[in-house]
Amino acid sequence: MRKRALGGALLLLALCAGQALCAEKRWVVSEGTTLKNDQSVSAPNLADLPVGSELTLVEGEGRWLKVRTADGKEGWVYAGRVSDTQPVAEVAGGDGLLGDSMQKSQINTAKADSARSVRGLSPETAAYAKQHGTPEGLKKELDKILARKVSDKEVKAFLKEGKIGEYAQ
């Protein structure tokens, strides 16, 4: 009887250890992500989750995932704000032309590339436009559009009003 109890205990221990080792991970990929105490955008916030935070998936396959943070807090996060692939933390370097100021995360680099593409035409596109004689009026209108700034508050209001993303019902 003791052998069976010992065998059962060892099996249970192995299952628990295997589950901990095989737990699915998620990483925060959106600024402004918060851990909620329920599956709703209006639920109280439990914690702010910075981009790159590692989370352990507890349950969920829908729009909301129950997760556990590295410090043991459990709550819900909108699935569109996390990824199952870990972001690369650092770009190698630091001894380049601009020194240590160039050591930024690849997440920030991707943001900078996106922002640059939104701000105006690439050199190649500008050369094409110049060569093919894009009308000055169109250039001015494009400049007006590109100069428009949209705040995080405006984006949030847009998503909420349109019932998009985590605001969808």
Side-chain angles (χ1 to χ4, degrees):
M1 182 71 172
R2 275 187 113 174
K3 285 185 179 182
R4 263 193 190 163
L6 182 60
L10 287 175
L11 179 61
L12 182 61
L13 181 63
L15 287 173
C16 290
Q19 187 176 18
L21 291 174
C22 297
E24 286 187 57
K25 300 292 182 187
R26 296 291 188 273
W27 289 268
V28 175
V29 294
S30 294
E31 286 186 31
T33 300
T34 54
L35 186 67
K36 301 283 191 176
N37 81 345
D38 201 3
Q39 302 177 59
S40 169
V41 72
S42 61
N45 294 342
L46 299 174
D48 292 326
L49 301 173
V51 171
S53 297
E54 182 179 303
L55 306 169
T56 300
L57 184 65
V58 175
E59 68 178 78
E61 293 183 14
R63 295 180 328 144
W64 290 89
L65 306 174
K66 188 169 189 179
V67 296
R68 182 179 309 110
T69 64
D71 62 355
K73 291 181 184 170
E74 278 194 20
W76 296 87
V77 65
Y78 182 67
R81 292 182 166 271
V82 297
S83 173
D84 59 357
T85 49
Q86 183 177 11
V88 177
E90 294 292 323
V91 176
D95 296 321
L97 181 62
L98 298 176
D100 290 334
S101 66
M102 290 304 289
Q103 283 190 331
K104 299 290 181 192
S105 74
Q106 288 188 353
I107 294 169
N108 288 337
T109 302
K111 280 190 208 171
D113 289 343
S114 296
R116 193 175 310 113
S117 69
V118 169
R119 277 199 308 269
L121 301 175
S122 67
E124 296 83 12
T125 307
Y128 177 87
K130 186 176 182 179
Q131 181 183 11
H132 290 83
T134 302
E136 199 60 37
L138 291 179
K139 289 181 192 176
K140 287 180 182 177
E141 292 304 313
L142 179 59
D143 287 341
K144 285 182 194 175
I145 292 169
L146 295 175
R148 171 80 167 103
K149 302 283 188 221
V150 180
S151 70
D152 289 341
K153 187 177 179 180
E154 290 173 304
V155 170
K156 191 172 182 177
F158 173 80
L159 294 173
K160 192 173 187 177
E161 185 177 324
K163 297 180 176 139
I164 301 170
E166 60 198 293
Y167 298 95
Q169 301 196 8

